Amino acid sequence: MSELILVTGGAGFIGSHTCVALVAAGYTPVILDNLGNSDVRVLRRLATITGKTIEFIEGDVRDRALLDRLFREHAIAAVMHFAGLKAVGDSVADPLHYYDNNVNGTLVLAAAMRAAGVKTLIFSSSATVYGEPESSPIPESAPCRPESPYGHSKRMVEQMLADLHVAQPDWRIALLRYFNPVGAHQSGLIGEHPQGKPNNLMPYVCQVAVGLRDRLAVHGGDYPTPDGTGVRDYVHVMDLAEGHVAALSHAALAPGLVTVNLGTGQGASVLDVVKAFELASGQPIAYDIGPRRAGDVPAYWGDPSLAHSTLRWKARRGLQQMCEDSWRWQKSNPKGYGN
Ligand code: NAD
Ligand code: UFG
C-alpha cells in the first residue's frame, strides 16, 4: 500500500514538482493549499504527467480544525511543508503577515501532527538563513544571520522544530535549505509563474525571451566577481524535488533531525544565466547593467557535501538544462496555467 504524504503548498512551484517526484517514487501525495500564490489548474497538469489524480484540499495550514479533520480522514505517513510566503520585499513591508503565515502556520501544523501522531516532517527552509556568508561554499555549520523578516521566519521555524525534536526525539525532521530553485519539469506542463513583475532572475529572463518584457535590468555590474555580476547557486527544481524524496527515505531509517543544504555547489553569474538562456532559447536577451539591488549579497553558493553523504542526493541537472526546461515551460505557457 502506497504511503500518503501530505504536501502543504503542493500547488505551488516546488511543491507541484515534488508531487511528480513522489508519485514516481511510489508515494501518494495529498495536497493542502490555500491557492494564495498558485493556480488550481496545476492539478490537471499533474494528472497528465503522473497518470494519477492527486487529491486536493483547498485550505490554510493555520486552520487547526481543518488539519485535525484531514489527519482523521487520511492515514498520513509524513508531511512535506512547502506552504509559506517567500517574497523578501513583502516581508519587510508586512512582517506580521509573514510571521503569521510562515511561523504560526508551521506551529499550527506541527501541533496538529503531534495530536495525530504523525512525526515525520520535511521543511522548506532557505539559504537566506545564512545572510551574508563569510565565504563560499557555505556549509550547514556556518553562522545563521538572516537579514529580512522572511529569513528570520525560516530560521525561527528551524529553531522551533529543533526544540521540538529535543523534547520528542522520536520525530523525524529534515530542514532543507534550498539555494536558488529554477527550471521546470521537462514536459513543459508545470513551472513557475510569478504574479506581476518577477523579482527573481530566471522568471524575468524567461519573460524577456518570450516578449512579455523588453529588457532585463542586471542589478549591479561592479561586484567583486569574475564578470562583475552577482553569483548564485541555481538548482533545478526537479533535483530539489528528488532531494525531498531522498530526505523522506532518510527519515524512514531512524528518528532524528537533519539540516541539509540543497544546491549544486556551483556558482553562476547573472551573465552566465543570460548566456545559457540565449543558447537554450535561440532568443537574444536584451539587458542593461544598472545599479546594485539593495540587500543583495555579491556571491554565494552552497556546500552540498552533507546532502551527498547523508541523503545520498546530488543535483544532476546543470545550468543549461535549467534554462532549456524553463524555456520549454515559458514558451508554451506564456501566461502560466491560463496559457
Ligand atoms: P510558491 O509560492 O510557488 O508555493 C507556496 C504554496 O503555498 C503556494 O501554492 C501557496 O498558495 C501556498 N500557501 C502559502 N501560504 C499558505 C497557507 N497559509 N496555507 C496553505 N497554503 C499556503 O513558492 P515555492 O517557490 O514553491 O516555495 C515553496 C517553499 O519553499 C516556501 O516555503 C518557500 O519559502 C521555500 N523556498 C523557496 C525558494 C524559492 O526561491 N522559490 C527558496 C528557498 C525556500
Ligand atoms: N537579478 C538581476 N536582475 C533581476 C533579478 C535578479 O540582475 O531582475 C540578480 C540579483 O541581483 C542576483 C541574482 O540575479 O544577483 C539572483 O537574484 P534572485 O532575485 O533570482 O535570487 P536571490 O538570490 O536574490 O534570492 C533568492 C530568493 C530568496 C531566497 C534566496 C536564497 O528570491 O527568497 O534566493 O535562497 F531567500
Side-chain angles (χ1 to χ4, degrees):
M1 182 58 191
S2 169
E3 284 190 343
L4 290 191
I5 311 298
L6 176 62
V7 183
T8 77
F13 174 44
I14 306 169
S16 59
H17 288 79
T18 302
C19 287
V20 173
L22 282 169
V23 173
Y27 296 98
T28 300
V30 175
I31 296 175
L32 171 68
D33 199 300
N34 67 5
L35 300 178
N37 195 38
S38 45
D39 189 317
V40 74
R41 287 171 289 192
V42 70
L43 296 169
R44 200 172 305 157
R45 306 287 184 92
L46 286 174
T48 305
I49 296 171
T50 63
K52 301 251 159 69
T53 302
I54 296 177
E55 183 175 352
F56 171 63
I57 297 155
E58 184 172 346
D60 199 291
V61 284
R62 293 164 293 179
D63 183 344
R64 176 65 193 264
L66 170 70
L67 289 178
D68 287 344
R69 200 164 60 243
L70 196 161
F71 285 120
R72 232 180 4 255
E73 292 173 358
H74 299 78
I76 300 291
V79 179
M80 291 193 174
H81 181 36
F82 296 94
L85 302 177
K86 61 170 182 175
V88 173
D90 292 352
S91 81
V92 175
D94 193 352
L96 297 186
H97 186 47
Y98 268 67
Y99 289 121
D100 184 31
N101 226 291
N102 294 1
V103 182
N104 183 37
T106 311
L107 180 58
V108 173
L109 173 66
M113 288 175 66
R114 185 177 57 181
V118 178
K119 298 175 183 169
T120 302
L121 176 60
I122 315 293
F123 174 65
S124 299
S125 189
S126 169
T128 199
V129 298
Y130 296 117
E132 181 155 5
E134 276 149 25
S135 61
S136 286
I138 312 175
E140 290 80 355
S141 56
C144 288
R145 303 189 198 102
E147 289 174 2
S148 67
Y150 168 66
H152 283 293
S153 76
K154 291 290 176 190
R155 185 66 194 130
M156 284 178 189
V157 170
E158 290 191 353
Q159 186 64 56
M160 181 168 86
L161 296 177
D163 291 342
L164 171 64
H165 185 258
V166 170
Q168 306 207 333
D170 59 337
W171 278 60
R172 299 156 191 260
I173 299 174
L175 309 177
L176 303 181
R177 293 178 175 164
Y178 317 153
F179 281 72
N180 287 50
V182 297
H185 187 260
Q186 62 178 24
S187 63
L189 287 170
I190 58 172
E192 182 177 21
H193 184 70
Q195 292 165 5
K197 189 172 158 190
N199 289 315
N200 299 119
L201 179 63
M202 187 64 89
Y204 206 104
V205 168
C206 281
Q207 294 197 5
V208 173
V210 84
L212 290 172
R213 313 235 164 231
D214 285 345
R215 311 173 75 75
L216 170 73
V218 176
H219 301 321
D222 59 352
Y223 283 115
T225 60
D227 64 18
T229 67
V231 168
R232 297 289 183 274
D233 183 345
Y234 297 96
V235 53
H236 196 293
V237 65
M238 284 310 299
D239 277 325
L240 268 192
E242 289 163 10
H244 287 71
V245 175
L248 197 55
S249 306
H250 178 264
L253 298 175
L257 178 142
V258 288
T259 304
V260 181
N261 286 338
L262 294 184
T264 63
Q266 310 263 320
S269 73
V270 175
L271 295 183
D272 290 336
V273 172
V274 167
K275 278 184 227 133
F277 204 95
E278 287 182 329
L279 193 63
S281 65
Q283 305 291 318
I285 308 294
Y287 67 85
D288 299 306
I289 301 208
R292 295 181 177 190
R293 181 170 67 177
D296 267 357
V297 172
Y300 65 87
W301 56 94
D303 176 349
S305 53
L306 192 66
H308 302 174
S309 59
T310 40
L311 305 186
R312 308 264 162 234
W313 171 88
K314 200 170 182 167
R316 295 185 288 131
R317 299 158 177 92
L319 183 60
Q320 204 55 46
Q321 190 171 350
M322 299 178 208
C323 293
E324 282 163 15
D325 292 339
S326 293
W327 175 238
R328 192 175 303 110
W329 152 254
Q330 181 70 52
K331 75 171 182 245
S332 37
N333 304 274
K335 298 196 178 111
Y337 292 106
N339 283 312

